[in-house]
Amino acid sequence: MFKRLKQLRKLEKSKLADDEFFDVDANGRGIIDVGAENYDDIFSYYDLDGENVLDREFSEFVEAKAEAIPPNKELTLHFHVKDATEEKRDEIDRVIKKHYSRELRAINRKLHRNATITLYILMLAIISVGLLYLVEYLKAHDVVIYLVDIMAWVFWWEVVDNHFLQRRKIQDERLKIYRFIRADIEVYEYRKPNRKTAKKQIGSKKIRQD
């Protein structure tokens, strides 16, 4: 049994080490390599307004890759597509910026809603404390005092939860989105995965060696 536990711990440590590994570019930005042999796979199939939008499954994949890169590091996204051109790079850059700008607006609405709800609950918490002092002053029945006391604690806990815990989570989401809005986009010619193959940046003479 203990031998099996040791093996499990070893596997967990190995997985953690793999998850924490990432490449950085010359500017210290964390690199995310994305292979899209079919260029159209980057965009949603369901959009009918004639303008490309980022595919949801594709964005989830990129966001999952970004989790392995510390939040204090900016991102560089390397897209590997067939027939890579500057036009494709510009289109990918525009679509990503538009997608995450829309996500940012949604997050900002969440923050505003969180602040509004927290304010209302804070008002109820203050009222409940005043009510508690009132029922104690009037020497109400112990059950009434007990119930008002519980109500006050519940409201104050909700204030703490909304303002310090829930809001923190939303702010962390916003920071993740900001990273993608500020991300550098580079496009490379698609090749079959090969760790020994050099990747040449379109529009530049720079070579990045794996």
Side-chain angles (χ1 to χ4, degrees):
M1 178 179 176
F2 291 108
K3 185 178 179 181
R4 181 169 176 77
L5 286 172
K6 286 179 70 176
Q7 289 174 338
L8 285 172
R9 288 197 198 98
K10 188 175 180 181
L11 285 171
E12 287 172 359
K13 287 181 180 178
S14 175
K15 184 178 186 304
L16 182 61
D18 290 341
D19 289 344
E20 290 178 343
F21 175 80
F22 61 94
D23 292 326
V24 295
D25 62 15
N27 296 317
R29 289 172 168 263
I31 295 173
I32 297 176
D33 280 308
V34 182
E37 183 175 3
N38 184 357
Y39 175 70
D40 291 332
D41 288 344
I42 299 171
F43 311 112
S44 174
Y45 292 100
Y46 302 105
D47 185 61
L48 294 176
D49 63 3
E51 189 171 322
N52 283 330
V53 295
L54 198 65
D55 180 71
R56 172 60 65 179
E57 184 177 345
F58 185 86
S59 67
E60 288 174 355
F61 167 78
V62 175
E63 289 164 21
K65 296 277 284 185
E67 290 292 331
I69 300 174
N72 62 324
K73 284 196 173 292
E74 299 293 331
L75 301 176
T76 294
L77 307 184
H78 288 181
F79 284 84
H80 302 259
V81 298
K82 280 190 173 179
D83 302 320
T85 63
E86 280 295 331
E87 288 74 18
K88 287 183 177 180
R89 193 213 74 83
D90 292 343
E91 177 69 3
I92 292 171
D93 183 70
R94 185 189 66 78
V95 169
I96 285 178
K97 299 297 189 289
K98 183 178 179 180
H99 174 83
Y100 286 102
S101 293
R102 187 166 55 246
E103 292 282 317
L104 180 62
R105 289 193 293 273
I107 287 292
N108 286 336
R109 286 195 295 270
K110 271 189 184 180
L111 282 171
H112 177 73
R113 187 162 56 249
N114 175 272
T116 303
I117 291 172
T118 301
L119 179 60
Y120 288 147
I121 297 174
L122 177 61
M123 292 171 61
L124 290 172
I126 293 171
I127 291 170
S128 65
V129 170
L131 183 59
L132 179 60
Y133 279 111
L134 179 62
V135 294
E136 287 180 343
Y137 176 77
L138 296 175
K139 296 181 179 179
H141 194 282
D142 288 346
V143 173
V144 175
I145 295 175
Y146 179 71
L147 291 174
V148 174
D149 188 27
I150 291 176
M151 181 177 66
W153 275 107
V154 168
F155 282 134
W156 281 109
W157 168 248
E158 286 297 319
V159 169
V160 171
D161 181 57
N162 271 274
H163 186 70
F164 294 102
L165 302 180
Q166 298 301 324
R167 190 174 185 82
R168 178 66 181 177
K169 289 179 183 178
I170 300 171
Q171 287 173 332
D172 286 345
E173 287 181 43
R174 185 167 66 170
L175 287 174
K176 291 176 185 178
I177 289 170
Y178 267 129
R179 285 210 298 174
F180 284 101
I181 291 175
R182 296 191 299 260
D184 284 346
I185 307 297
E186 298 177 6
V187 175
Y188 300 92
E189 186 63 32
Y190 180 86
R191 296 183 180 89
K192 294 292 183 183
N194 185 348
R195 299 299 295 175
K196 296 181 180 179
T197 301
K199 292 176 284 186
K200 184 176 181 181
Q201 182 180 352
I202 299 302
S204 172
K205 293 183 180 180
K206 292 181 180 179
I207 299 293
R208 176 180 171 273
Q209 199 77 27
D210 280 338

